[in-house]
Amino acid sequence: MASDRGSSDTRQLFHNGVVSFEVEDQAPAPEVHTALQRKLKNRHVAMISIGGVIGTGLFLGTAPSLMHGGPLGLLLVYVFMGTICLATMLSLGEMTTFLPIPGGFIKLAERFVDPAFAFATGWNYWYQWTVRLVQPELSAAAVVVSFWDSKTNPAVWITVCLVVIIAINALGVGAYGEAEFWFCSIKVTTITGLIILGIIVDLGGSPNHNRIGFRYWKNPGPFGDYNGFTGAKGQFLGTCSITTQVMFAYIGTEAVAMAAAEARNPRRTIPKAIKKIYFRVLLFYVGGVFVIGLLVPSNNPLLNINSIQNASASPFVIAFNAAGIKVLPSIINGVILTSAWSAGSSDLYLASRSLYGLAVSGSAPKIFSRTTRAGLPHVAVGVCSCFALLAYLTIGDGPGKVFIWFSDFSTTAGLVTWFGIGVTYLRFYEGLKAQGIDRKTLPFAPRVQPFAAWWCVCGSGFSLVFSAWYVFLDGNWSTITFVTDYVPIVFFPVLYLAAKFVMRVRPVKAEKMDFVTNVAEFDAMTYDDPPPKNWLEAFWMWLM
């Protein structure tokens, strides 16, 4: 009888492998949501891949890079870093297209390397984007606004920027995708127009009809000297010294992989987005810095954003002011401001999704995996937004100087992330071979593998080690440079070894790697886009 009475009072539940009991006369526990929703359209993903993180790194960060590296040094480093970027994205794209799971490469590292490696990679990635959100983008916004208003406290403009960034992310991934589509459209249109206009100005088409050509490649020269060192040694040091700043402009291309978990039809949209990165590297970055090197001499004092403290240090602003086009600098600064909002919005998106991925993997408290009914990881977004308030602590140091410090921090962490992606792919590749899986059966399988992954590992590792080695020369020590460029490198192995010690896990054997779970699910959701009805739709499909 007691058993019957207990059956009437309670109801046994089974959910996700856990048995629980719910008393019928009590109110049911609120439902906890932990799933993201696929609301990013093809055009959203495409534009995020092309211009999602084109921002202050290209528009403003090229100023000190040109000053120290010279026009040819700047171009060579952008090309060098561009090849590492492409290798990284080809490696990440193959894995993500096969398994577009929440948590992106954090979960992939758990599946193909080991949970400790996923723990270290995930927290490094969260740290990378949280630091980048805290200062580089927010301080850059303050730098830009000071071009028009140098009297108002920068805290006001940081607040305005924060409100915009948090509002976009709080409205959900659909709003983020739509905002990024229009922000990126502005950036892409602007940088394309600036390159074309820059070539016209260089050929003498400006109001002052001054034909520049390659004048500044001859005087002051194609390379910059570094801190009193001259000749080949000074030029080599100058070129090496800009590696971290150049890398800052490239970091964030992996945003496509994190967005795959919230993209519609990811098996089709992600490969298209990956292929568009070629255009981003060649046209926007390499083309943009080539034109900058033609128009602005590397010894122009306005390039020093440590002392100028406003957006007149942007090479594009310097070039068009000198050309006599007076209205264009204000337009450029308006675009740079929207770029800071866009890049800051992407920073918060990536920081929150990485924290969500850590929670899903069991490497962070489960509360961060909670979502709203609409699929927004509101707890992760809220916590990451709170870290952005630390931006107010560094206002007194000057936004230009702080921009360089924190961009170096986040860039070093970004290089560590790329290194981790390369290692994860090499393990993924080894697992495919060990289990006899033909790569030709995968949705996306670049022919250059595994060489691209090896270049990703070696290139990013080389850049990490040598990006700031000049501080060890006699009389050239800089504590802040050492801290920003080398301390984040130590952060990763410390996390990895600590996780190894606590988790007591071994690397996943190639023969036991999981290439089955979730695959059927993604196969079922994949579909072919309907064919275009006319030439306009065909062009749009090609573009997006």
Side-chain angles (χ1 to χ4, degrees):
M1 294 297 293
S3 175
D4 293 339
R5 186 169 57 254
S7 299
S8 63
D9 291 339
T10 61
R11 179 160 51 93
Q12 189 175 18
L13 301 175
F14 185 85
H15 181 64
N16 289 339
V18 179
V19 178
S20 61
F21 294 88
E22 180 184 352
V23 181
E24 289 186 342
D25 59 357
Q26 292 181 354
E31 184 179 0
V32 177
H33 301 273
T34 60
L36 303 177
Q37 294 185 12
R38 298 186 178 275
K39 295 183 178 181
L40 290 177
K41 301 177 182 178
N42 184 35
R43 62 185 177 88
H44 295 157
V45 176
M47 198 57 76
I48 289 172
S49 71
I50 295 174
V53 288
I54 291 179
T56 53
L58 179 61
F59 287 113
L60 195 60
T62 45
S65 299
L66 177 60
M67 182 176 64
H68 293 300
L72 183 56
L74 177 64
L75 182 63
L76 291 176
V77 175
Y78 260 92
V79 171
F80 174 76
M81 286 299 179
T83 61
I84 302 175
C85 173
L86 291 176
T88 302
M89 292 311 300
L90 290 175
S91 302
L92 183 58
E94 182 173 337
M95 296 187 292
T96 304
T97 304
F98 179 62
L99 288 169
I101 53 181
F105 53 84
I106 301 172
K107 289 291 289 182
L108 294 173
E110 179 185 20
R111 185 178 288 202
F112 300 119
V113 185
D114 66 41
F117 194 81
F119 177 90
T121 301
W123 281 110
N124 176 79
Y125 196 64
W126 174 83
Y127 157 83
Q128 166 193 336
W129 288 109
T130 303
V131 168
R132 181 160 171 158
L133 171 64
V134 167
Q135 264 304 315
E137 306 302 349
L138 297 178
S139 62
V143 169
V144 170
V145 175
S146 65
F147 179 80
W148 299 295
D149 180 9
S150 59
K151 296 180 180 179
T152 304
N153 192 307
V156 175
W157 306 119
I158 288 177
T159 303
V160 172
C161 190
L162 266 177
V163 169
V164 173
I165 290 170
I166 295 173
I168 290 173
N169 279 268
L171 292 174
V173 69
Y176 164 75
E178 197 64 34
E180 281 303 287
F181 176 80
W182 292 108
F183 278 144
C184 293
S185 298
I186 294 172
K187 289 189 288 186
V188 169
T189 302
T190 301
I191 191 65
T192 303
L194 290 177
I195 291 173
I196 295 172
L197 183 59
I199 294 174
I200 294 173
V201 170
D202 182 71
L203 296 176
S206 63
N208 58 22
H209 303 292
N210 180 21
R211 183 182 176 90
I212 301 173
F214 285 85
R215 179 190 308 168
Y216 301 133
W217 287 50
K218 299 176 182 178
N219 183 23
F223 294 97
D225 294 329
Y226 181 78
N227 202 21
F229 293 94
T230 58
K233 182 179 182 179
Q235 293 172 357
F236 178 73
L237 288 174
T239 302
C240 288
S241 70
I242 67 174
T243 301
T244 305
Q245 273 297 310
V246 170
M247 191 64 195
F248 177 74
Y250 280 114
I251 291 295
T253 49
E254 69 281 350
V256 176
M258 298 300 286
E262 297 175 89
R264 300 175 184 176
N265 199 18
R267 289 272 179 87
R268 294 288 184 267
T269 57
I270 299 303
K272 290 181 181 179
I274 296 295
K275 293 173 183 177
K276 288 179 175 62
I277 292 176
Y278 289 100
F279 295 100
R280 172 181 169 180
V281 170
L282 291 175
L283 176 61
F284 303 134
Y285 285 142
V286 176
V289 299
F290 174 72
V291 170
I292 287 172
L294 293 176
L295 298 178
V296 182
S298 59
N299 59 358
N300 191 316
L302 293 176
L303 292 172
N304 187 0
I305 66 174
N306 282 336
S307 60
I308 299 302
Q309 301 299 326
N310 64 47
S312 61
S314 169
F316 289 107
V317 174
I318 295 170
F320 295 120
N321 264 331
I325 308 175
K326 299 303 180 183
V327 68
L328 202 55
S330 291
I331 296 175
I332 294 172
N333 280 313
V335 173
I336 297 175
L337 184 59
T338 62
S339 296
W341 290 343
S342 171
S345 177
S346 293
D347 295 347
L348 180 55
Y349 173 80
L350 293 169
S352 61
R353 294 322 186 264
S354 60
L355 186 57
Y356 171 87
L358 284 164
V360 171
S361 300
S363 297
K366 285 295 181 183
I367 191 173
F368 296 125
S369 66
R370 292 189 177 184
T371 65
T372 63
R373 291 180 181 273
L376 172 70
H378 57 289
V379 179
V381 171
V383 169
C384 293
S385 299
C386 291
F387 277 93
L389 300 177
L390 295 174
Y392 295 109
L393 298 178
T394 54
I395 291 175
D397 291 321
K401 185 182 297 184
V402 171
F403 172 84
I404 295 177
W405 291 349
F406 277 83
S407 64
D408 286 354
F409 259 112
S410 62
T411 299
T412 304
L415 278 169
V416 173
T417 296
W418 285 14
F419 178 86
I421 290 171
V423 171
T424 302
Y425 179 85
L426 291 174
R427 296 285 295 144
F428 171 82
Y429 186 86
E430 184 180 347
L432 291 174
K433 287 182 63 178
Q435 298 186 27
I437 301 175
D438 188 355
R439 288 182 61 247
K440 294 180 181 178
T441 63
L442 301 182
F444 179 60
R447 296 180 181 179
V448 294
Q449 295 292 10
F451 307 107
W454 277 112
W455 176 236
C456 168
V457 171
C458 296
S460 56
F462 175 86
S463 300
L464 282 169
V465 172
F466 291 101
S467 62
W469 67 275
Y470 49 85
V471 299
F472 300 108
L473 297 174
D474 289 339
N476 207 44
W477 175 258
S478 171
T479 301
I480 189 64
T481 300
F482 177 81
V483 170
T484 56
D485 285 73
Y486 285 120
V487 169
I489 300 176
V490 181
F491 186 59
F492 183 84
V494 168
L495 283 176
Y496 179 62
L497 294 175
K500 273 281 191 184
F501 178 78
V502 173
M503 297 179 179
R504 306 286 184 181
V505 291
R506 294 184 176 182
V508 181
K509 294 182 178 179
E511 298 78 10
K512 295 185 178 181
M513 290 180 185
D514 184 4
F515 290 96
V516 177
T517 305
N518 302 120
V519 173
E521 171 192 347
F522 297 125
D523 286 340
M525 71 170 61
T526 302
Y527 57 88
D528 292 325
D529 295 324
K533 298 178 181 179
N534 50 55
W535 69 268
L536 188 60
E537 285 190 6
F539 174 76
W540 181 254
M541 290 180 67
W542 170 82
L543 186 64
M544 294 291 110

